[in-house]
Amino acid sequence: MTCVLYPGSFDPVHNGHIEMVQTAASLFSEVVVGTLMNPSKGGGLFTLEERMALLDECFAHLPNVRTTMFDGLVVNLAKDVGADFIIKGLRAVSDFESELQMAQTNQAISGMHTLFLPTASRRSFLASGLIREVARLGGDVSDMVPAPVFRELQKKSVS
Ligand code: PNS
């Protein structure tokens, strides 16, 4: 039984994240998807509660996936949920430097290790920040996000 924590901002969850969770669910017995604030990214578009509701809707069909949200250190959440490892996706070499630094910091303060999984190349350009920007300016992001997220992005842009 291996339980992994997949942490992220998920503001909003996009098809690259969906692929990561599906892959992790096929590799590990239990996957916890944890929404956390990224202190370097500011307030964001969706509240933590809204992000988690979308994650719940997107992963309802995967029995070994559960979701949670947390305000604090990711390593404390990892311990709370009983995770053996943290997992992170790597889209490109440009992700590696910051992800390695976070993994080493988390390992230094808690002993918790991070495993990296590569994103499929056809989805490696996806980024929540760009998706928010394109959606806000009226561009089509329907191929980049799951249907529930597309629905909620449309609501945000008309409100
Ligand atoms: O999707 P993101 O924005 O790349 O996710 C980054 C996230 C939320 C995983 C990271 O900012 C984080 O771990 N935040 C919680 C606070 C924390 O533990 N900071 C120390 C990380 S070394």
Side-chain angles (χ1 to χ4, degrees):
M1 286 282 290
T2 304
C3 173
V4 295
L5 172 68
Y6 179 41
S9 307
F10 304 119
D11 186 32
V13 61
H14 58 61
N15 289 343
H17 299 130
I18 300 284
E19 176 205 314
M20 271 289 295
V21 174
Q22 284 169 341
T23 302
S26 72
L27 292 173
F28 304 106
S29 354
E30 188 179 6
V31 180
V32 181
V33 184
T35 312
L36 294 104
M37 295 307 284
N38 183 335
S40 63
K41 284 190 180 167
L45 177 63
F46 292 97
T47 65
L48 279 188
E49 289 78 8
E50 288 171 329
R51 297 176 206 183
M52 202 178 111
L54 284 169
L55 291 169
D56 280 338
E57 206 173 335
C58 293
F59 300 124
H61 64 293
L62 294 172
N64 62 336
V65 174
R66 65 188 166 100
T67 65
T68 188
M69 59 184 182
F70 193 69
D71 187 10
L73 285 174
V74 67
V75 292
N76 288 342
L77 176 60
K79 277 184 202 142
D80 286 355
V81 302
D84 298 291
F85 305 106
I86 291 169
I87 59 162
K88 287 291 198 80
L90 290 180
R91 291 169 293 193
V93 172
S94 50
D95 279 344
F96 183 70
E97 205 170 328
S98 60
E99 290 296 345
L100 178 66
Q101 192 175 26
M102 280 195 273
Q104 289 171 329
T105 303
N106 287 331
Q107 204 271 330
I109 62 176
S110 70
M112 178 69 60
H113 287 285
T114 299
L115 302 180
F116 295 119
L117 290 174
T119 306
S121 57
R122 67 187 179 283
R123 297 202 186 88
S124 61
F125 65 97
L126 293 176
S128 298
L130 284 179
I131 289 170
R132 289 198 303 273
E133 182 176 312
V134 172
R136 183 172 56 81
L137 298 173
D140 182 7
V141 295
S142 57
D143 284 343
M144 302 179 188
V145 294
V149 172
F150 186 61
R151 180 194 71 216
E152 294 306 315
L153 280 171
Q154 284 181 310
K155 282 191 204 163
K156 292 269 183 200
S157 59
V158 294
S159 61

